[in-house]
Amino acid sequence: MEDNRNQYRIIRMLTGGVTPALLAAALLGYALNRFGQLDPAAQAAGICRELIAGTTEGRQALFGSCWAAPLPVLFYLPFSWLLPEPLAGPAAFWLSWFFVFWSVRESVKSAGHYLFRIIMAQIAIAAVAVLALNQEVLQIDTALTVGLLLLCASSLSDWVACRRLRDVVSSAAACAFLALCGFSVLGVACISAVLLPIAAAGHRETRRRFQAWLLLGWLPLVYMLGVWMLLNRLILGDALFFLRSLRFLVSETRLFMPSLALPAAVMLPALALTWRLDSRAEKPGAGVVAASATLLSFALMLIVYSKVFAWFGISWADTALYACALSVMIVTVARLRQPLYRSCLSLVIIVWLSGTWFKRDEQTGDDDVRVKVIGEVETYVQARTPYGRVFALGYTGLDLLRGYEGSLMVPNLDLHIGSLRMDYKGQDLYVLIPNPEDRVRSESVFWKYPDIYDLGADRLLYAGTFGTWRLFQVVSAPTQEQLDEWRRLRN
Amino acid sequence: MTNPTILQEKHPNGSSVPLASVSSIDPLELANKRPDWSASQPVTAAQKKTVLLLCIALLLAVVLAPLKTACLFIALCTLFYTTSTLYKFAVIRASISPSAILSFSEQQIADQEPREWPVFSILVPMYKEPETLSQMVNALSELDYPNDKKDVQFLLEEDDALTLDAAQAMAMPASFRVTVIPQSFPRTKPKACNIGLSLAKGEYLVIYDAEDLPEKDQLKKAVMAFEVSAPDVVCVQSRLNYYNSGHNIITRWFTAEYSAWFDLQLPGLAALGAVIPLGGTSNHFKTRILQALMGWDAYNVTEDCDLGVRLGRAGYRTRMLETTTWEEACCDLRFWIRQRTRWQKGYIQTWFVHMRRPLKLLKELGVVNFFHYQMLIGGVTFSVLINPFFWAMALVWFIFRPAGVAALFPGPVFAAGAFCLFLGNFVFVYINLLGCCKRKKDSLMWWSLLTPVYWVMMSYSGWRAFIQFFRDPFVWEKTQHGLSGKA
């Protein structure tokens, strides 16, 4: 008995601590070697900088977009606060990937497998991250999404198999956190939460307690979304501010919203199987076959989601969804009761296939581009006025100003030209607008002023192009003090 | 069935006085022999000086740098809230561990027979509760345990003629007796229990309240629990719950709270090997060890919580037992507040008693258990005291959104505060839901969503307790039972 316990402790330490730590470190080493400068929390770092400074922009940025979701930012904040910039990124990277490998252990362990199968699955996921050759896969928000999605999917399948209270709780909690990881997985989180009580309706014993599963399964997600909306109302004056970008991103919004529920159809056969097996069972629980079917359907649902997003032109959601789908497949294979060599072979095939799934990117040298743009804009503005102020718009602006020490340029999340003129009376104001491509299209400035990049807006006069950014001057009448000063200078 | 043996004799002048055997017992042994472990002196001189110095420092800081002081205070409170939320997570997660609770099936109990069961002492302290006496006698008689191995003592106060008369008039099994507690200061339940403990004959001992309905196989399960546990396990705590949960909204909230506490949090703490603040009843002890520890602190109004800490300090452990004792939830708001005030005052007493020599406590409990102690005993009280300020601030911010409130939450503090708002409050509500679900009391789950209102009641009682701790530290606000019928 004591021997078994000791053996269990050793395996737990190995699979839940040692291998995740080593694999995360190895991945970190690979990423540093491959991409030179590692930037695993590009957007989060900019937001954290403002949050630590206690600015309104930081608060707005934390909650203001479903595409730059709060969880990765809150995760990165302690690192950004406690560690200097060159260390914060790698430390956050290591911990986020440690979490992924720990989640793999939790997901495989519940099927009653230990050591080899867990380590195999962990290595397979590390291999996928390496073969992807894609910086986005290595971002902390992708890692957090993958980890939470694994917990969500495996808990749901455990709930299907055994009907343990802990499974409904962990799945519901994972769903709620997943919803805070961004819009690309919000639909998945909602469908998983919906499935929790429905999956339990097959057996007469658990069917009677539908309201309990409903409350436990849905409440965390509903609450999280409720608080997110409340904070949007309080900080940005609009409860749905974080979702408004969808109208600009997708031309057919009426078609897009129902399409988000479409992938749920993939889960229906697994659900039917669960009900059938469950209704025949003496005790609640549909068993391992239904659990495996649920996991596989889950992976399929993620792929369908990526296709739905791609149809509507939101292609940047692909990477996280593919990474999640592959991870769920790997966990499904590792959980299956089959000879070890067959599991290994299946995993090798999945990893090999994954090499073709991701768009490959090379070293970008983002930092150099940022410094160049900032330098050029500063030179341009300072040559024209000593009272200049440049507002770099949106999350992209926050990212641009990372590490910026000057006072000329400030970030702005929620553009109100009238308010800027009032707040910065007497100064010469400029707005710096990013190119609305890919993810940048989701910035609030583009759903407020759809043509701003090409045509400017009321009181905005084109000043110049710097890299992919465009600078516009805010036209306003000079104040009496400015007129007096100019007169004095002229005389 | 006979009339009970009553440990008292008639004085020549006609009044009832305790037997010499009872009056020779020192129920205040702990306070007399180990005053440093007793709440007989609620706050020591050194503690008073420390509190005074802290108050002066705080006052100076408020005068010299009010904004910075407020920011620092809020930052510390936010840190506490964050730690507390994560701590709850950890405890609840631990509650699913197989070692969280000792459980025995009916078959396992049946397999024990035939066997010789040890003598089990049962203490039932009562005061002015004649109406619950017959219910208690029936419940104890029906316990599935050999009658000759039950050593039941009803502990009745000398001046409680009503209950004494009712006891005298009632037919009880031979192993039941009544012990009359002499009138003396303080008149508390633990003082009565100490006398009962001295007269206990059993190898094991348990306390039940007057209105308790323990599950029939509880004593056998307790014996088996001690037998399968390590020698350092000297106490097993049964789960408590309420039979009148549906009476009104207070009993519903109370049941939800108890379900979460006894079915999730205490098992979680047991699994983590933490110091456990014992529940007031249905805790089973090894009698000799309890006697060696000098029983309960007669001056502490939550003597159970204090005893849990003392067990930890002495190097012993407590485990949870899967069996339930059904109690009556207080259904009247006034009495609920009085009961909660007493509990919270007791927590404050306990915290001050054991924090007299913090380093010694740290050495005895170890770092991890010291942290548990601070979170469970100090943290619970601290949170009910500071909660109203933060609710008020959140409300002001929600409604008026003044710039002043935002200035009190610098960047990282704002983020941590958002985390607590996002998660902290929710975790506490969700734990109650979970407790109800585990208890299969699904109808209470919807009511649990209104738990924040219950927190307001707790904070009110918390402040009442805090003030009472300094004014009347030993006042025992007794809970009135029998206000609602059995469900």
Side-chain angles (χ1 to χ4, degrees), chain A residues 167-432:
Chain A
D167 297 324
V168 78
V169 174
S170 55
S171 187
C175 282
F177 284 116
L178 200 59
L180 297 182
C181 282
F183 192 78
S184 52
V185 281
L186 182 62
V188 180
C190 292
I191 291 172
S192 310
V194 168
L195 282 174
L196 279 171
I198 296 175
H203 196 277
R204 60 196 172 283
E205 211 174 286
T206 42
R207 194 186 308 138
R208 275 202 298 268
R209 305 190 66 197
F210 185 80
Q211 62 166 337
W213 315 131
L214 186 79
L215 263 176
L216 288 179
W218 287 19
L219 196 65
L221 180 70
V222 171
Y223 176 81
M224 284 289 186
L225 291 177
V227 176
W228 198 355
M229 285 163 76
L230 175 72
L231 287 168
N232 266 262
R233 174 78 186 84
L234 292 170
I235 296 170
L236 293 141
D238 175 6
L240 295 176
F241 187 93
F242 68 114
L243 292 171
R244 295 276 180 219
S245 61
L246 291 174
R247 267 206 315 230
F248 174 73
L249 285 173
V250 183
S251 51
E252 297 283 346
T253 319
R254 280 184 191 166
L255 198 63
F256 177 63
M257 295 316 270
S259 304
L260 290 176
L262 197 69
V266 175
M267 297 295 292
L268 289 179
L271 188 65
L273 180 71
T274 302
W275 278 350
R276 189 172 169 78
L277 292 173
D278 206 6
S279 62
R280 287 175 175 182
E282 188 124 326
K283 282 183 175 176
V288 284
V289 175
S292 301
T294 305
L295 268 178
L296 271 179
S297 308
F298 213 94
L300 203 58
M301 180 173 72
L302 289 162
I303 295 168
V304 175
Y305 251 112
S306 72
K307 297 296 170 204
V308 169
F309 281 124
W311 284 333
F312 288 92
I314 305 172
S315 56
W316 66 86
D318 277 8
T319 312
L321 287 168
Y322 282 151
C324 289
L326 283 167
S327 307
V328 173
M329 278 187 214
I330 287 168
V331 163
T332 311
V333 169
R335 282 167 62 115
L336 286 177
R337 288 179 191 280
Q338 57 177 335
L340 203 59
Y341 77 90
R342 212 182 287 169
S343 298
C344 281
L345 200 63
S346 312
L347 289 179
V348 167
I349 291 169
I350 291 174
V351 171
W352 175 69
L353 280 175
S354 73
T356 60
W357 276 30
F358 299 97
K359 283 178 223 148
R360 298 179 178 203
D361 60 10
E362 297 299 326
Q363 193 172 334
T364 54
D366 266 354
D367 272 0
D368 301 337
V369 177
R370 280 208 315 261
V371 171
K372 191 171 170 234
V373 169
I374 290 172
E376 285 176 0
V377 171
E378 275 191 326
T379 312
Y380 177 87
V381 174
Q382 279 164 353
R384 279 155 185 79
T385 172
Y387 308 106
R389 181 77 66 177
V390 180
F391 297 96
L393 294 188
Y395 290 89
T396 326
L398 279 173
D399 190 29
L400 179 76
L401 298 182
R402 255 191 310 149
Y404 175 69
E405 300 290 341
S407 59
L408 177 75
M409 299 177 76
V410 285
N412 184 288
L413 260 293
D414 188 18
L415 181 66
H416 288 279
I417 297 168
S419 306
L420 289 182
R421 288 174 59 217
M422 294 285 282
D423 295 343
Y424 294 88
K425 206 173 168 187
Q427 296 187 29
D428 295 316
L429 306 182
Y430 292 84
V431 290
L432 190 59

Side-chain angles (χ1 to χ4, degrees), chain B residues 54-228:
Chain B
L54 281 174
C55 287
I56 292 169
L58 187 68
L59 208 69
L60 276 174
V62 167
V63 171
L64 295 174
L67 187 66
K68 277 186 184 168
T69 309
C71 278
L72 182 69
F73 177 72
I74 285 170
L76 289 175
C77 289
T78 307
L79 180 69
F80 163 74
Y81 279 129
T82 312
T83 314
S84 185
T85 305
L86 297 173
Y87 179 69
K88 286 273 174 186
F89 257 137
V91 170
I92 299 300
R93 192 169 194 287
S95 73
I96 58 174
S97 154
S99 63
I101 194 155
L102 287 161
S103 52
F104 302 97
S105 64
E106 281 176 24
Q107 189 56 48
Q108 281 175 301
I109 297 170
D111 288 347
Q112 291 282 312
E113 303 292 355
R115 67 162 281 182
E116 186 71 18
W117 293 94
V119 176
F120 215 121
S121 290
I122 301 169
L123 305 184
V124 188
M126 300 175 92
Y127 187 60
K128 294 187 178 168
E129 295 168 289
E131 70 285 353
T132 54
L133 190 64
S134 62
Q135 170 194 313
M136 193 68 221
V137 170
N138 287 338
L140 295 179
S141 305
E142 284 171 13
L143 282 177
D144 176 22
Y145 204 77
N147 266 330
D148 58 327
K149 301 290 183 182
K150 288 183 206 163
D151 164 37
V152 180
Q153 284 186 72
F154 290 96
L155 308 171
L156 308 183
E157 295 286 335
E158 192 181 15
D159 63 345
D160 182 10
L162 277 174
T163 320
L164 273 169
D165 289 346
Q168 246 168 339
M170 188 174 287
M172 296 185 196
S175 56
F176 287 35
R177 58 194 159 125
V178 172
T179 303
V180 179
I181 309 301
Q183 252 187 308
S184 66
F185 178 82
R187 186 162 63 200
T188 56
K189 174 180 151 187
K191 191 190 74 180
C193 289
N194 282 340
I195 293 175
L197 173 66
S198 299
L199 299 170
K201 299 169 190 167
E203 187 180 336
Y204 302 112
L205 178 141
V206 62
I207 294 183
Y208 291 125
D209 274 351
E211 84 288 3
D212 282 0
L213 295 173
E215 281 181 1
K216 290 194 170 80
D217 52 7
Q218 190 172 105
L219 297 186
K220 284 186 176 175
K221 280 184 175 174
V223 171
M224 289 166 71
F226 280 119
E227 286 172 352
V228 299

Side-chain angles (χ1 to χ4, degrees), chain A residues 24-83:
Chain A
L27 209 55
L28 176 64
Y30 161 77
L32 285 171
N33 187 41
R34 166 85 200 168
F35 298 105
Q37 204 168 19
L38 183 65
D39 197 8
Q43 230 161 32
I47 301 170
C48 289
R49 179 178 177 263
E50 292 301 314
L51 276 174
I52 291 164
T55 63
T56 306
E57 280 68 28
R59 283 163 204 177
Q60 288 175 340
L62 180 59
F63 299 111
S65 171
C66 61
W67 299 104
L71 193 74
V73 180
L74 288 172
F75 175 82
Y76 189 70
L77 187 67
F79 296 97
S80 181
W81 188 34
L82 299 171
L83 299 171

Side-chain angles (χ1 to χ4, degrees), chain B residues 150-435:
Chain B
K150 288 183 206 163
D151 164 37
V152 180
Q153 284 186 72
F154 290 96
L155 308 171
L156 308 183
E157 295 286 335
E158 192 181 15
D159 63 345
D160 182 10
L162 277 174
T163 320
L164 273 169
D165 289 346
Q168 246 168 339
M170 188 174 287
M172 296 185 196
S175 56
F176 287 35
R177 58 194 159 125
V178 172
T179 303
V180 179
I181 309 301
Q183 252 187 308
S184 66
F185 178 82
R187 186 162 63 200
T188 56
K189 174 180 151 187
K191 191 190 74 180
C193 289
N194 282 340
I195 293 175
L197 173 66
S198 299
L199 299 170
K201 299 169 190 167
E203 187 180 336
Y204 302 112
L205 178 141
V206 62
I207 294 183
Y208 291 125
D209 274 351
E211 84 288 3
D212 282 0
L213 295 173
E215 281 181 1
K216 290 194 170 80
D217 52 7
Q218 190 172 105
L219 297 186
K220 284 186 176 175
K221 280 184 175 174
V223 171
M224 289 166 71
F226 280 119
E227 286 172 352
V228 299
S229 299
D232 63 342
V233 175
V234 298
C235 175
V236 286
Q237 168 75 58
S238 312
R239 299 189 299 189
L240 305 181
N241 215 293
Y242 293 123
Y243 53 69
N244 63 333
S245 59
H247 185 81
N248 62 19
I249 192 162
I250 296 175
T251 59
R252 287 186 181 106
W253 282 333
F254 211 166
T255 308
E257 185 195 12
Y258 251 44
S259 301
W261 181 247
F262 283 99
D263 293 5
L264 292 170
Q265 299 189 53
L266 286 189
L269 289 171
L272 293 171
V275 164
I276 289 186
L278 300 175
T281 145
S282 302
N283 22 47
H284 306 258
F285 298 97
K286 287 180 179 170
T287 312
R288 294 285 158 259
I289 304 285
L290 189 59
Q291 285 169 341
L293 283 170
M294 292 175 274
W296 293 268
D297 179 10
Y299 290 93
N300 195 313
V301 292
T302 48
E303 75 294 343
D304 34 23
C305 166
D306 172 74
L307 181 59
V309 180
R310 276 198 288 128
L311 289 176
R313 291 187 78 167
Y316 295 119
R317 282 192 302 140
T318 301
R319 295 196 70 181
M320 291 297 294
L321 183 61
E322 192 169 26
T323 172
T324 302
T325 297
W326 298 93
E327 298 192 293
E328 183 195 341
C330 186
C331 59
D332 184 287
L333 183 62
R334 279 170 307 150
F335 287 114
W336 184 91
I337 285 172
R338 291 175 65 173
Q339 184 187 47
R340 190 53 61 118
T341 300
R342 174 164 60 80
W343 290 356
Q344 286 174 344
K345 186 171 72 176
Y347 267 53
I348 301 173
Q349 276 183 333
T350 306
W351 190 82
F352 272 102
V353 166
H354 293 282
M355 284 298 283
R356 283 172 185 168
R357 295 175 68 188
L359 287 177
K360 191 166 182 249
L361 179 69
L362 178 67
K363 198 177 158 193
E364 285 173 356
L365 289 181
V367 178
V368 177
N369 252 330
F370 185 77
F371 174 74
H372 284 303
Y373 170 79
Q374 298 302 342
M375 293 308 293
L376 291 168
I377 315 294
V380 167
T381 312
F382 183 64
S383 63
V384 295
L385 293 179
I386 60 167
N387 279 344
F389 297 107
F390 282 87
W391 293 332
M393 254 194 292
L395 211 63
V396 166
W397 188 52
F398 285 173
I399 298 170
F400 304 109
R401 296 169 63 195
V405 172
L408 294 172
F409 288 85
V413 180
F414 172 79
F419 170 78
C420 293
L421 184 69
F422 256 120
L423 222 73
N425 288 315
F426 179 74
V427 164
F428 293 99
V429 174
Y430 198 71
I431 287 172
N432 279 6
L433 285 177
L434 214 52

